[in-house]
Amino acid sequence: MPVFLTACPRNCYSTCAMRVTVEDGRLRRIENVSENLATPEGPCLKGLSYVERAHSPDRITHPLVRSGQGFSEVTWDEALDRISASLTRIRQEHGPQALLYYTGSGTKGLLNACGLAFWRLFGGCTTAYGDLCWPAGLEATRLTLGANEHNAPWDLQNARLVVFWGKNAAETNVHQMAHLQAAIENGARVVVIDPRRTETAQRAGLILQPRPGTDGVIALAVAHLLFRGNLVDRDFLATHVLGAGAYEEMVREYTPERAAQIAEVPRRSIEKLAQLFGTVHPITIVPGFGMQRFTNSGQTMRSILALLALTGQIGKPGAGWMYANLQTAVFHPVKDPIDFYPPEKPDGVVRVGISTARLGRDMLALKDPALKAAWVERGNPIPQNPETPLVLEAFRKLEFRVVVEEFLTDTAREADVVLPAKNLFEQTDVIGAYWHPYLQIREKVLEPPPEVRPETEIYRSLGRRLGLSEDVLAAALPGPSDAAVEVWLEKKLEPFGLSLADLRKGPVLAPGAREVAFSDLRFPTPSGKIELISEEARTRWGLDELPRYTEPVESPKRSDRYPFHFLTPNTKNRIHSQFGNLETIRRMAPAPTAALHPEDAAALGVTEGTRIRIFNDRGELFLPAVLDWGLRRRCVCVPNGWWITDGGAVNVLSEGRETDMGFGAAFHDNMVAVEKAASA
Ligand SMILES: Nc1nc2c(c(=O)[nH]1)N[C@H]1C(S)=C(S)[C@@H](COP(=O)(O)OP(=O)(O)OC[C@H]3O[C@@H](n4cnc5c(=O)[nH]c(N)nc54)[C@H](O)[C@@H]3O)O[C@H]1N2
Ligand SMILES: Nc1nc2c(c(=O)[nH]1)N[C@H]1C(S)=C(S)[C@@H](COP(=O)(O)OP(=O)(O)OC[C@H]3O[C@@H](n4cnc5c(=O)[nH]c(N)nc54)[C@H](O)[C@@H]3O)O[C@H]1N2
Ligand SMILES: [Mo]
């Protein structure tokens, strides 16, 4: 039976290598690839569920056109006629920028670039700036260190203090737990800082459960104690750090007493944390993405990262800031969140005119031209972007919508035409990662179902309909044959002395990748040093040059109308809104629930299984309660990714708000009230 090396392209830290066995056109088996030192154990349950997903009866395998309340299967000719007629009319009446080209994080790969190349040929389009995922943290890191790089995942074993700060690796990066285990066996101490006592926290010797959105003040108080106790590395500060003096001055006011009061954690825990930072080295901080989904979180991330600068814990084995490792992003001209900024000079073709965080609101408000059509690819914005009701309204107001999808998601259900998307086994591509430093091949191992076309071919056939010549299309789009796609990929690899044949042998370290990031202690910031004080924080974002603490916009300190924090983290058995529709996954997580602390539940007259109403000005959600002693009080937690059709779409409650820097989405800046549902 043929066996192939490939890799999982989902938006996940691990980006596992996998060996797949194919028989009679079906995926039979998925195994680990021990040569990938970051993920030697192989795929998680989601990865294994590909044997179901690739052949799922729910998969969209024909173009669909809306008819009445549902959809009918049509031929490609009919679908393309319909699309080209609508788009041509809209382009004629309103210009090409009346079309929104929206992409999400559904799959990694170099071929994703073909979409924008096509819309340029169309004459242009509108796109969104920002990103739902991680930009506040990326920007905070860029401002401080100059680049987003970190030590290789397996270097964690060299750390003696590991601080998981707002990351739940046991669910979102399972492979990291094996590297943590190695560190623990080498004697490492583990700290977890998270309002929830997560699975990751089971490995911790010290747990802090702060009020959501207040981590910054904890970090500032730790800095205060490090200076007070003379536990900072004065030599490192003098040589490699900008602004240490101003920082010392600034943190004077952040006493542990004050921080304990604001963050609502014991003062002694803050002191213990400072003592660990001051004495147990090397230190790796593993900051998560969950913590940077607040309106104050860029500054929060800067203040946490500062602790490594103060203690000289950067640029050596076992030390550093394991946020995002963009060492594999070698194919892009820029590797950093600058990718997410609207361009300084509009090019008149692609209008980068909408904030991803405010998708619905901005779609509705856009003028000259107003939006009339949308093309959605690799994303499920209706449940996943903030303010689901407004996103829905904005999509419904359009004249025409196309969604390219594998499954009939909440977003696909709003389309006029749904085009079937290829899956990860049906076209060869090259993928990077944002945790480990490997480039990997994502191999074509299956023929797509007869009526499924990869995006490259969708665009080619639409291009023909729109009257573009074969030459023009060939210059912009890889393909049409698999061999031609490979030639296109080879051209991308060639400048680095690499080929697909190399990647077929196993995961390849990205050119220039360093096992220990910043080992030369050179930082590509304006000053060449680690910047604790950042002019760009002020000039670009209008923020304080020092990361002083500010309350999140939605806070119990401002109003007690909605007393609960709404936490919507990621969960083990899904990647955002993907996988939840599969039998394999449903067996583990059949339906959405909302976690509450038992004492809060008791006060509300709620017991396990009681239907509760979670609500605020923006919307409401009805879910059965589950009681969790490990959750901080006054928090209610529902993992994101459930569909509207599952009854658990969490973004009906969030507001479309940007983070303080980087154009991220402040999903967790979200206060709600909870009550026993009337119908319960
Ligand atoms: N299984 C699985 N893995 C995934 C994903 C997935 O959906 N499923 N998604 C991938 C992607 S795209 C992402 S962005 C990452 C995200 O994965 P993580 O980086 O782990 O981020 P989240 O799950 O958003 O949040 C992590 C933790 O932050 C906590 N948190 C929330 N607010 C605060 C706060 O104010 N302070 C602190 N200290 N903690 C807080 C939450 O309780 C949660 O446990 O995971 C990736 N990996
Ligand atoms: N409240 C709240 N909301 C959140 C978050 C949160 O923490 N809280 N997290 C946010 C984060 S970190 C992220 S990354 C986003 C994720 O949100 P999205 O970027 O929208 O990602 P997914 O939900 O994974 O949806 C991706 C879709 O792409 C489709 N797809 C997969 N492969 C292909 C392909 O090859 N071609 C095409 N055309 N389609 C494909 C999948 O079927 C799936 O429906 O959600 C965000 N939303
Ligand atoms: Mo994400």
Side-chain angles (χ1 to χ4, degrees), residues 478-544:
S481 66
D482 291 343
V485 168
E486 292 201 8
V487 169
W488 189 90
L489 292 171
E490 297 281 16
K491 279 210 188 100
K492 297 276 170 194
L493 292 168
E494 216 174 71
F496 305 104
L498 290 172
S499 67
L500 290 174
D502 297 325
L503 301 191
R504 285 192 170 113
K505 286 186 212 130
V508 170
L509 288 175
R514 296 188 284 188
E515 187 148 324
V516 175
F518 306 109
S519 53
D520 52 4
L521 295 174
R522 285 163 59 166
F523 301 94
T525 54
S527 64
K529 296 182 173 189
I530 300 174
E531 298 206 344
L532 295 187
I533 188 160
S534 165
E535 203 182 316
E536 218 183 327
R538 176 173 52 78
T539 53
R540 190 181 281 276
W541 305 108
L543 296 167
D544 202 317

Side-chain angles (χ1 to χ4, degrees), residues 594-602 606-609 625-631:
L596 274 180
H597 190 281
E599 288 173 16
D600 288 331
V606 165
T607 56
E608 181 91 12
V626 292
L627 306 191
D628 180 358
W629 286 102
L631 187 63

Side-chain angles (χ1 to χ4, degrees), residues 304-331:
I304 299 172
L305 172 47
L307 299 177
L308 296 173
L310 298 180
T311 48
Q313 296 299 312
I314 297 212
K316 50 188 186 184
W321 176 248
M322 252 188 205
Y323 182 69
N325 197 4
L326 301 189
Q327 300 196 55
T328 60
V330 292
F331 305 100

Side-chain angles (χ1 to χ4, degrees), residues 254-462:
Y254 295 101
T255 60
E257 291 75 18
R258 187 172 161 212
Q261 199 203 2
I262 294 175
E264 299 173 7
V265 294
R267 178 179 50 85
R268 290 192 50 201
S269 299
I270 298 176
E271 288 164 354
K272 178 78 193 160
L273 185 62
Q275 190 212 342
L276 290 171
F277 267 98
T279 57
V280 184
H281 298 165
I283 309 169
T284 298
I285 299 181
V286 189
F289 299 169
M291 183 176 51
Q292 52 91 62
R293 309 196 203 286
F294 290 87
T295 45
N296 64 356
S297 53
Q299 295 290 62
T300 299
M301 298 299 269
R302 284 180 67 206
S303 63
I304 299 172
L305 172 47
L307 299 177
L308 296 173
L310 298 180
T311 48
Q313 296 299 312
I314 297 212
K316 50 188 186 184
W321 176 248
M322 252 188 205
Y323 182 69
N325 197 4
L326 301 189
Q327 300 196 55
T328 60
V330 292
F331 305 100
H332 305 292
V334 278
K335 294 194 198 175
D336 260 319
I338 297 185
D339 273 345
F340 303 137
Y341 303 166
E344 271 157 29
K345 281 202 199 96
D347 68 4
V349 180
V350 176
R351 169 174 64 167
V352 190
I354 280 187
S355 167
T356 302
R358 290 189 305 259
L359 182 67
R361 203 173 280 268
D362 283 8
M363 279 176 73
L364 290 164
L366 205 63
K367 300 247 167 351
D368 303 321
L371 293 177
K372 300 292 172 188
W375 180 288
V376 179
E377 205 176 277
R378 294 175 263 127
N380 191 7
I382 288 172
Q384 289 311 112
N385 292 50
E387 237 160 9
T388 291
L390 277 186
V391 182
L392 202 50
E393 183 186 331
F395 271 88
R396 288 186 175 164
K397 281 227 164 108
L398 297 171
E399 292 171 12
F400 190 65
R401 299 138 282 240
V402 179
V403 177
V404 188
E405 249 304 342
E406 288 180 59
F407 296 98
L408 207 55
T409 61
D410 289 331
T411 306
R413 284 191 306 117
E414 295 298 320
D416 298 277
V417 179
V418 184
L419 297 176
K422 53 103 181 40
N423 71 24
L424 68 151
F425 303 109
E426 295 168 355
Q427 188 178 38
T428 296
D429 205 341
V430 171
I431 63 175
Y434 55 81
W435 173 57
H436 63 60
Y438 292 116
L439 294 177
Q440 302 184 97
I441 190 160
R442 195 200 72 197
E443 189 79 275
K444 175 169 177 178
V445 303
L446 295 171
E447 279 307 322
E451 298 301 316
V452 171
R453 298 178 184 177
E455 285 81 355
T456 46
E457 292 320 294
I458 293 176
Y459 285 122
R460 194 181 315 279
S461 43
L462 180 58

Side-chain angles (χ1 to χ4, degrees), residues 153-168:
W154 48 87
D155 175 64
L156 194 63
Q157 64 182 301
N158 296 317
R160 288 299 171 272
L161 176 63
V162 181
V163 183
F164 282 91
W165 204 318
K167 176 169 172 181
N168 181 18

